[in-house]
Amino acid sequence: MSTVAETPVAHTDPVNAKILAISEDRIQGFVRDPIGEIAERSGVDVDTVLERVRAMLRAGTIRRVRQTLMATNLAEGALVAWQVPADKVDSAFDFMFQQDPFSGHVVIRSTDAATPGSNYRLWTTVKVPQGFSIEKHCALLARLTGAERFRVMPAKRIFALGVGHVRRKEIPPGSKSEELAVAKDTEKVELNDLEWRALTALKREFGPDEVTRDLWRPRAAEAGVPLEEFFEIAEELNRRGVIGRFSTFLEHVKPLATGERVTRFNALFHWAVPPGREMEAGRQVGRFHILTHCYWREGGPEFRNVNIMAVAHGTEKNAVLAHKKAIDEHLTSIGIPVSYTNVFWGGRSEIKPSEISPIAYREWSAQIGVDPETVRE
């Protein structure tokens, strides 16, 4: 076996590309042997999968390896747009990324022309544990960062949710599934203490030395339960729709150690469709293979009442716009009118998992000197 120094870490390496095409977003739900599953589906032997994933994680090509959750079913979550004075945008960005465990994606966005909502430069995803108010949490963040206004946009339905940047590189504009996208609801699932303990161990990201064939045995020990019981809890949570996918997340925002970029353009698409046709439009838009995310969210008057939002990534701006044009033309062809549409381009960006534990919220509140009861629903 080669040494780490000799192991290719570029996402474009043919073997790595085979692995990543599966490991980014094809291992859905909870799997007892995710490494074996990646090996079988990619056609790359297990030892090589382990060697390459560890090497890419150490090199920063992969920014994290973890079991994801359907956090929208576990916590109150929303996309939040923030209007912040120009001289405070960077400091607000830093606070959301570095000091708020409940903010996930933190992105500074811009539009190609001044449009409704273009003065909302800072965009974040925010989740708070069940029992806490996302509006009150955002009001607290506004006070701490100097934000003047914010718009909270919870997901009413989810039509697409994945990553898969490697396999999306060659997708032509207009490529879509034969079937309508499935609309996933965001109904909350309540967990008992044992389930939270197992879930907390399950979701913690793996360091390079933890990436082994026997991934879950140490996590079962961490949760304080026998391995078979850990499996049973995880599989039950999977049946209840709480588990997302096992994923190796690529660093797709910053240049890699190799100097390459996985993507260069991160586009948030907005469409306003007639009230009452959100489900129909979302299931149509969510069919398009280029999209990593697609939601029904209400933008309100600040954003010309947009209600369908989606995210696409690409290395060329014109290619991203070609994908958007194909979606626009499809909506027109099937008779779904769009009264307003726009693209918000991502600039400075950081991504981290959002904390969803009630215990973590109480600890964070104590650190910043806030009574957590004041942030209760």
Side-chain angles (χ1 to χ4, degrees):
M1 186 178 292
S2 61
T3 64
V4 170
E6 297 167 342
T7 303
V9 295
H11 72 285
T12 51
D13 172 84
V15 174
N16 290 346
K18 285 182 181 180
I19 294 168
L20 292 166
I22 302 301
S23 67
E24 278 198 274
D25 69 342
R26 288 310 206 197
I27 309 301
Q28 295 293 325
F30 175 78
V31 177
R32 293 191 178 202
D33 182 17
I35 298 298
E37 186 82 8
I38 293 165
E40 181 179 346
R41 295 178 63 177
S42 67
V44 179
D45 67 272
V46 167
D47 286 344
T48 301
V49 169
L50 288 168
E51 176 191 45
R52 296 300 183 94
V53 170
R54 289 176 191 139
M56 286 190 282
L57 186 55
R58 287 191 174 102
T61 304
I62 293 174
R63 57 185 166 86
R64 60 177 55 93
V65 177
R66 65 184 290 258
Q67 179 73 54
T68 68
L69 309 178
M70 292 301 293
T72 50
N73 298 108
L74 289 168
E76 299 301 323
L79 178 66
V80 183
W82 304 86
Q83 183 175 315
V84 184
D87 62 346
K88 294 183 178 179
V89 170
D90 285 329
S91 62
F93 180 105
D94 292 338
F95 184 92
M96 305 292 194
F97 174 60
Q98 297 171 3
Q99 299 185 53
D100 180 31
F102 310 97
S103 294
H105 290 58
V106 184
V107 186
I108 294 177
R109 294 192 178 275
S110 60
T111 55
D112 289 331
T115 58
S118 60
N119 53 335
Y120 286 78
R121 296 285 316 287
L122 182 61
W123 294 68
T124 66
T125 56
V126 178
K127 297 181 180 72
V128 295
Q130 292 181 30
F132 292 91
S133 164
I134 197 164
E135 287 278 353
K136 291 179 180 178
H137 181 73
C138 288
L140 173 59
L141 293 180
R143 292 198 300 273
L144 293 170
T145 61
E148 297 168 331
R149 295 181 181 83
F150 59 88
R151 172 74 188 184
V152 175
M153 296 168 277
K156 294 194 167 186
R157 290 292 188 279
I158 302 169
F159 305 104
L161 182 61
V163 279
H165 299 295
V166 167
R167 67 179 177 81
R168 283 183 167 90
K169 277 185 173 292
E170 306 303 323
I171 290 176
S175 175
K176 61 183 183 296
S177 65
E178 292 296 322
E179 303 295 327
L180 293 175
V182 174
K184 298 177 183 177
D185 67 37
T186 56
E187 184 178 351
K188 300 299 176 287
V189 174
E190 293 188 5
L191 307 184
N192 61 36
D193 289 344
L194 176 59
E195 289 167 335
W196 269 117
R197 200 164 74 235
L199 199 67
T200 299
L202 183 78
K203 74 182 181 67
R204 185 171 61 76
E205 63 188 75
F206 291 89
D209 294 336
E210 295 178 296
V211 178
T212 66
R213 183 75 182 267
D214 193 13
L215 282 171
W216 301 122
R217 190 176 301 277
R219 297 305 172 90
E222 183 180 315
V225 297
L227 181 61
E228 187 61 33
E229 183 178 358
F230 184 84
F231 283 154
E232 291 171 359
I233 294 170
E235 287 164 350
E236 172 60 23
L237 293 175
N238 194 37
R239 283 190 288 272
R240 291 164 67 187
V242 168
I243 307 297
R245 63 188 182 277
F246 182 86
S247 181
T248 61
F249 289 85
L250 279 179
E251 175 52 75
H252 64 281
V253 175
K254 303 170 186 174
L256 304 177
T258 59
E260 301 171 293
R261 285 180 180 268
V262 175
T263 65
R264 292 182 62 85
F265 294 93
N266 160 359
L268 173 63
F269 300 151
H270 280 186
W271 293 275
V273 302
R277 302 192 71 178
E278 298 92 348
M279 286 283 285
E280 178 188 2
R283 296 190 70 193
Q284 289 288 349
V285 173
R287 294 170 62 187
F288 284 79
H289 294 140
I290 193 62
L291 300 177
T292 58
H293 302 72
C294 181
Y295 299 92
W296 169 7
R297 299 185 189 274
E298 296 289 347
E302 296 94 331
F303 297 98
R304 292 278 294 274
N305 297 311
V306 301
N307 42 22
I308 302 297
M309 301 184 185
V311 176
H313 300 260
T315 53
E316 302 294 333
K317 186 174 184 178
N318 286 341
V320 175
L321 289 173
H323 284 287
K324 167 112 178 1
K325 181 181 178 184
I327 300 171
D328 293 343
E329 290 175 347
H330 176 67
L331 291 174
T332 298
S333 73
I334 59 174
I336 297 181
V338 175
S339 60
Y340 169 77
T341 186
N342 205 348
V343 180
F344 282 75
W345 298 101
R348 185 184 177 196
S349 177
E350 293 284 0
I351 303 170
K352 67 183 191 296
S354 299
E355 185 55 76
I356 57 174
S357 162
I359 297 171
Y361 201 92
R362 289 193 289 271
E363 290 174 349
W364 178 78
S365 300
Q367 289 172 7
I368 64 169
V370 170
D371 180 355
E373 295 304 312
T374 63
V375 195
R376 288 280 184 185
E377 290 183 320

